[in-house]
Amino acid sequence: MTGDRPTGRLHIGHYVGSLRRRVELQNAGDYKKMFVFIADAQALTDNMDNPEKVRQNVIEVALDYLACGLDPEKVTLFIQSQIPELCELSFYYMDLVSVSRLQRNPTVKTEIQMRGFESSIPVGFFTYPISQAADITAFKATTVPTGEDQKPMIEQATEIVRRFNYIYGETLVEPAILLPDNAACLRLPGTDGKAKMSKSLGNCIYLSETADEVQKKVMSMYTDPEHIHVSDPGHLEGNTVFTYLDAFCRPEHFERYLPDYPNLDELKAHYQRGGLGDMKVKRFLNNILQEELEPIRQRRKEFEKDIPAIYDMLHRGCEDARAVAADTLDDVRRAMKINYFDDAELIAEQAKRFKESAE
Ligand code: ATP
Ligand code: MG
């Protein structure tokens, strides 16, 4: 179970952080069921005044999913707002979380700062970790493949599950985060060198960008500001070009595009010694990215030819997802003792109690 906010097209940070992994998991077939969803309701929590942006990006994200190889035959793809059960779950979970606990969430703290919300944080945005717990638990998710920024959300969801099960009895399933195993992919930086590539920061290389656009962005990427002349020794820490190479480069890329070097370690060593220019490294990165992105772009173009079919697919996905969420909600209501009309025992008991007191 995992998802993305339709606040823009998906970028290579999403790809290495989560999307690539989802496709691998789908194709490995180890999970009985997989759900991937477009978090439009969550996107509205900080874009409430721009519903058109969210609406337009739903289809963009769906196209990116399909282009990357998510297969609706194997994975249920759906749109969050179409599953009202999620709102109801969130409402109950709100009783299990304190305000100070939400305030401690480091990702939300950073996001509040980034958006300049300060004291004007919408309640919906502030509480989105709770709604995310509803998204995850509604599908009894065991595994959530995401980037590192989602760690606090999974921790929050786990706490809610434990507290719920402790109070109301074993009902919900504890989720586990599945982080990328490559450190560079945990939180891919932006092309400007900022800590995270993010749609909201405008420092992204999008999966659907043309080859020219990608090349332009790579060539103007942030590297090492102290590496002015080719002969200067260069630094790797905070050097985005090398971080991207860590995320994307495979041994065969050297044979194909840079046969002078046997591997990435040798390339890095040369850069650190001095004598290796940024342009050469950037050209290498560009070749690698183009090779990875070209098939994604091509597949996207094919899917773009039949947009109504994609809405149909999402519609079916929503119906399937809704049925699963409704089952969980039944369990939750029963556990919380708010299932008044499907509990014959309760009605009989109450009838007996009142009869006895009348006698
Ligand atoms: P927004 O700025 O609107 O929050 P975003 O770019 O952060 O958008 P999300 O939709 O919030 O994207 O995140 C979707 C998924 O992609 C999450 O699993 C998140 O961890 C992952 N992800 C997003 N950006 C990165 C990144 N730069 N590196 C690794 N993973 C990322
Ligand atoms: Mg985000």
Side-chain angles (χ1 to χ4, degrees):
M1 167 72 185
T2 189
D4 307 273
R5 294 150 42 92
T7 48
R9 289 171 292 159
L10 299 184
H11 53 64
I12 61 172
H14 297 116
Y15 186 69
V16 298
S18 172
L19 210 41
R20 184 162 66 179
R21 190 63 161 280
R22 299 177 203 171
V23 177
E24 284 166 13
L25 295 175
Q26 162 196 285
N27 294 337
D30 294 340
Y31 291 90
K32 229 168 38 199
K33 256 194 147 322
M34 279 180 63
F35 297 89
V36 173
F37 75 108
I38 303 175
D40 61 338
Q42 190 188 111
L44 283 167
T45 62
D46 57 331
N47 291 279
M48 70 300 282
D49 50 355
N50 202 350
E52 200 51 40
K53 168 175 155 188
V54 174
R55 184 182 178 83
Q56 297 295 334
N57 280 308
V58 166
I59 188 76
E60 297 284 354
V61 171
L63 281 165
D64 285 329
Y65 284 168
L66 296 168
C68 284
L70 285 179
D71 176 358
E73 296 290 320
K74 297 180 182 151
V75 175
T76 305
L77 300 174
F78 69 94
I79 307 172
Q80 185 188 28
S81 63
Q82 304 308 298
I83 321 295
E85 285 76 7
L86 300 177
C87 300
E88 190 174 333
L89 279 178
S90 303
F91 188 69
Y92 302 140
Y93 294 171
M94 282 188 190
D95 302 335
L96 307 178
V97 182
S98 71
V99 171
S100 65
R101 175 64 185 89
L102 286 175
Q103 278 166 336
R104 279 202 309 274
N105 186 313
T107 299
V108 177
K109 263 193 201 165
T110 318
E111 289 174 336
I112 287 171
Q113 244 169 17
M114 233 172 71
R115 288 161 178 75
F117 276 150
E118 279 127 27
S119 62
S120 61
I121 324 160
V123 174
F125 185 82
F126 180 61
T127 56
Y128 91 72
I130 299 178
S131 114
Q132 212 163 306
D135 301 334
I136 294 168
T137 54
F139 300 92
K140 303 217 156 96
T142 53
T143 310
V144 187
T146 67
E148 197 183 32
D149 62 317
Q150 294 304 304
K151 229 170 142 186
M153 310 308 157
I154 310 299
E155 280 162 13
Q156 178 72 80
T158 303
E159 281 174 34
I160 290 175
V161 168
R162 288 192 185 152
R163 202 158 146 72
F164 188 100
N165 288 348
Y166 176 74
I167 300 173
Y168 304 114
E170 213 51 45
T171 311
L172 301 173
V173 176
E174 262 186 48
I177 191 168
L178 185 64
L179 291 170
D181 14 70
N182 176 341
C185 302
L186 288 172
R187 186 182 300 249
L188 198 76
T191 50
D192 55 359
K194 290 224 177 83
K196 182 175 172 274
M197 178 175 287
S198 165
K199 290 172 244 139
S200 307
L201 292 175
N203 55 7
C204 307
I205 295 179
Y206 293 99
L207 294 171
S208 54
E209 250 162 343
T210 65
D212 280 354
E213 286 165 332
V214 172
Q215 182 172 4
K216 235 184 271 160
K217 288 189 179 176
V218 171
M219 289 311 184
S220 57
M221 255 171 80
Y222 180 87
T223 55
D224 170 12
E226 288 169 38
H227 188 241
I228 298 163
H229 305 291
V230 172
S231 57
D232 292 340
H235 297 92
L236 301 176
E237 312 78 58
N239 189 323
T240 329
V241 175
F242 279 95
T243 311
Y244 287 16
L245 285 177
D246 280 331
F248 283 97
C249 182
R250 292 190 301 271
E252 66 264 26
H253 290 138
F254 282 93
E255 283 157 43
R256 231 168 291 163
Y257 305 117
L258 207 57
D260 304 352
Y261 297 85
N263 54 44
L264 191 53
D265 287 339
E266 295 289 326
L267 188 74
K268 286 179 178 172
H270 191 188
Y271 191 79
Q272 286 174 302
R273 275 199 310 274
L276 173 58
D278 280 348
M279 280 304 153
K280 190 164 176 179
V281 189
K282 284 180 172 176
R283 270 197 299 272
F284 180 48
L285 174 63
N286 179 56
N287 282 326
I288 295 173
L289 285 182
Q290 300 292 355
E291 180 183 320
E292 190 91 18
L293 296 179
E294 183 54 24
I296 297 177
R297 279 195 287 260
Q298 289 311 325
R299 272 198 302 267
R300 198 185 210 267
K301 283 213 187 80
E302 286 308 305
F303 285 112
E304 283 172 0
K305 289 180 186 159
D306 194 355
I307 294 295
I310 297 176
Y311 280 103
D312 278 346
M313 175 278 289
L314 288 171
H315 195 172
R316 283 193 302 275
C318 290
E319 284 169 355
D320 292 348
R322 197 166 174 195
V324 177
D327 276 346
T328 304
L329 190 57
D330 277 347
D331 297 343
V332 162
R333 288 171 164 215
R334 203 172 314 118
M336 293 182 72
K337 302 194 176 294
I338 51 176
N339 60 328
Y340 309 106
F341 309 125
D342 65 1
D343 188 349
E345 216 173 283
L346 165 81
I347 299 169
E349 240 172 54
Q350 296 297 338
K352 191 167 157 236
R353 183 161 74 86
F354 280 93
K355 199 171 159 208
E356 275 166 8
S357 67
E359 276 165 4

